[in-house]
Amino acid sequence: MNFELTANQLDAQKIARDFTERTLAKDILERDAAAEFSRAHFDEMGRMGLIGLPYPVEMGGQGGDYLSYVLSLEEISKLDASMGITYSVCTSLFCGVIMNSDLPTERKAELIRPVASGKALGSFALTEPSAGSDAAGCKTVAVRDGDEWVINGSKCFITNGPLSDYFVVFTLTDPALGTKGMACFMVPKGVPGFEQGKRHDTMGIRSALVCELYFNNCRIPTENLVAEPGKGFALAMKSLDGGRIGVAAQGLGIAEGAFEIARNYLMEREQFGKPLYKQQHLAFRMAELAVEIEQAKYMLYKAALDKQEGRPYTESAAKAKLVCTDAAMHVTTEAVQMLGGNGFMKEYHVERMMRDAKITQIYEGSNEIQKLILSGRLFR
Ligand code: CAA
């Protein structure tokens, strides 16, 4: 087993780190306070080739490997988990659905190019008010009418929703068939009957935008079918396996970002006549957190390599998502405590990181759902 990163992987990591320090760091506190997305920063990521990093060049991507993408997402999330999830939803979920579909290669290229080239944003629309953890509880329906499908229903908690140009939307085609009839459509913004609805006001990842979507007799041509009726649910599940690797990278990045702030603080801050790290209980806690982060990192890289090298990755993605996002919540909570009063202040960043960490344990399948997936496989 080789634990060394390749030169290309180290490059991808460095490019993302430099971009984060040079650009995202400038206005992170303001964007969080105003719940504002920076299109300029996203466009720069697009020009740098980050968004389509793991996809073929002829599809608008960079032809990089999956671990390079994961490393760059981890770097960005060390400081800016909002931009991290915007990136992950575009790359892992939106592009992931298209690439995992049975569409011919030319059609895949046509559909992912705008997002993979970083010129447009994409969203993944599965969740509904009645279909969260129970994704099969979906009620949005598409009914065929000649050369078109007519979609009615609504979606909620859609990351990038207010910003996206393209949406992969999962619908039933016959309520009596349930998920056995689920399909997936590509819905571009602005089509009649489709509305990017009310923005959600969130606790964390405040500069990633999230909203509801409404479909009211929205007519979509048959050529926009991404998955035939009956193939939509498995496509959503397979793509979420990839999405979970993205959220794991986001969680790991948050944990590492908070850890680094705490480490610096313990070395600089003096109380009782010595730096805080000389209090052994604090130094030991940091040692434990370092182990937790390292464990999470190897589980994440294992999942990324399983995907990259064509091995099954449902299980390794679920494990990585569980461990990395629990580490994010634990490390950020500890960091706030170690920084004391300062930890509670916005300018020290760890309170934002703690708020951002919470959602990573919830979205793309709550951590309880990861345990459901893993325990189901243990006892089948
Ligand atoms: N890959 C491929 N196919 C899969 C699969 C996978 N990983 N998992 C399940 N399937 C297939 C099964 O093989 C089965 O196929 P057949 O019917 O042909 O046998 C079918 O899907 C149904 O499988 P289950 O019986 O296991 O389905 P279920 O209804 O019991 O649900 C679940 C399973 C794991 C709980 C699922 O509902 C789930 O993942 N829930 C969480 C939903 C979720 O993650 N939502 C995230 C929303 S997106 C988001 O958060 C993004 C964002 O904005 C940041």
Side-chain angles (χ1 to χ4, degrees):
M1 213 180 297
N2 181 3
F3 287 91
E4 293 293 314
L5 297 178
T6 65
N8 285 345
Q9 288 160 354
L10 288 167
D11 268 358
Q13 195 177 44
K14 182 172 180 335
I15 288 169
R17 183 180 303 145
D18 292 348
F19 167 72
T20 303
E21 285 165 8
R22 185 182 73 245
T23 307
L24 297 176
K26 275 196 305 220
D27 54 0
I28 180 90
L29 291 175
E30 293 76 8
R31 283 186 285 118
D32 176 66
E36 232 170 58
F37 176 74
S38 168
R39 184 67 195 230
H41 296 344
F42 180 84
D43 287 347
E44 193 176 338
M45 286 170 65
R47 285 193 295 276
M48 289 162 60
L50 287 174
I51 308 299
L53 186 51
Y55 297 111
V57 175
E58 56 282 12
M59 294 189 175
Q62 297 294 311
D65 61 26
Y66 209 76
L67 184 54
S68 295
Y69 156 59
V70 162
L71 291 163
S72 67
L73 176 51
E74 178 189 341
E75 283 306 317
I76 284 168
S77 303
K78 283 182 184 174
L79 180 82
D80 189 345
S82 294
M83 195 55 92
I85 195 63
T86 300
Y87 180 16
S88 181
V89 167
C90 285
T91 306
S92 295
L93 281 184
F94 177 85
C95 294
V97 165
I98 306 295
M99 294 305 284
N100 289 332
S101 73
D102 294 333
L103 292 170
T105 308
E106 317 78 67
R107 184 64 177 147
K108 285 183 183 174
E110 233 171 77
L111 295 183
I112 82 159
R113 191 171 291 113
V115 176
S117 61
K119 296 193 174 83
L121 283 98
S123 285
F124 173 93
L126 174 67
T127 304
E128 298 185 9
S130 62
S133 287
D134 181 10
C138 170
K139 292 200 165 45
T140 297
V141 174
V143 176
R144 182 138 188 188
D145 181 19
D147 284 345
E148 292 178 322
W149 288 86
V150 185
I151 307 180
N152 278 291
S154 67
K155 299 283 175 184
C156 62
F157 307 157
I158 304 304
T159 306
N160 299 345
L163 308 157
S164 282
D165 307 278
Y166 300 99
F167 298 77
V168 281
V169 179
F170 295 86
T171 74
L172 303 186
T173 52
D174 176 352
L177 288 177
T179 54
K180 297 277 179 220
M182 190 180 269
C184 175
F185 297 88
M186 161 71 83
V187 178
K189 90 168 185 196
V191 290
F194 171 49
E195 196 188 331
Q196 289 154 278
K198 193 173 125 268
R199 253 187 78 180
H200 298 289
D201 193 9
T202 58
M203 166 184 174
I205 57 161
R206 290 187 59 75
S207 56
L209 308 192
V210 186
C211 75
E212 297 180 351
L213 305 177
Y214 313 126
F215 301 89
N216 187 7
N217 291 323
C218 170
R219 288 183 169 269
I220 296 296
T222 45
E223 68 191 31
N224 281 28
L225 200 58
V226 174
E228 302 278 340
K231 294 196 167 167
F233 193 70
L235 178 61
M237 292 299 112
K238 183 167 186 207
S239 306
L240 278 168
D241 289 341
R244 287 166 188 157
I245 297 177
V247 173
Q250 184 201 20
L252 178 67
I254 297 171
E256 290 173 303
F259 180 88
E260 207 42 40
I261 292 171
R263 196 177 74 88
N264 290 336
Y265 189 85
L266 296 188
M267 291 202 298
E268 280 160 20
R269 168 90 169 164
E270 294 202 356
Q271 291 287 276
F272 305 105
K274 56 185 179 187
L276 284 180
Y277 79 89
K278 295 213 164 155
Q279 305 285 354
Q280 197 178 49
H281 76 282
L282 291 175
F284 276 21
R285 259 156 80 191
M286 288 297 282
E288 285 164 8
L289 296 182
V291 173
E292 194 174 329
I293 287 171
E294 187 90 349
Q295 286 169 339
K297 179 175 292 207
Y298 287 120
M299 293 191 78
L300 169 63
Y301 294 179
K302 161 76 166 58
L305 288 174
D306 282 347
K307 179 164 166 48
Q308 182 172 306
E309 290 166 11
R311 291 185 290 272
Y313 56 94
T314 300
E315 256 180 71
S316 53
K319 285 176 183 164
K321 199 272 182 185
L322 182 60
V323 168
C324 291
T325 63
D326 281 352
M329 198 66 241
H330 184 218
V331 175
T332 54
T333 308
E334 288 283 341
V336 169
Q337 185 68 21
M338 287 188 213
L339 267 70
N342 285 328
F344 205 61
M345 301 299 138
K346 301 235 173 230
E347 62 268 33
Y348 282 82
H349 297 279
V350 285
E351 71 80 33
R352 171 176 54 80
M353 293 172 170
M354 185 177 163
R355 285 187 283 110
D356 288 351
K358 190 62 226 172
I359 189 62
T360 68
Q361 295 178 303
I362 298 173
Y363 57 24
E364 302 208 20
S366 66
N367 285 2
E368 290 73 15
I369 290 294
Q370 309 313 314
K371 290 176 196 172
L372 190 77
I373 293 169
L374 292 168
S375 60
R377 284 169 167 255
L378 276 179
F379 299 109
R380 69 183 169 186

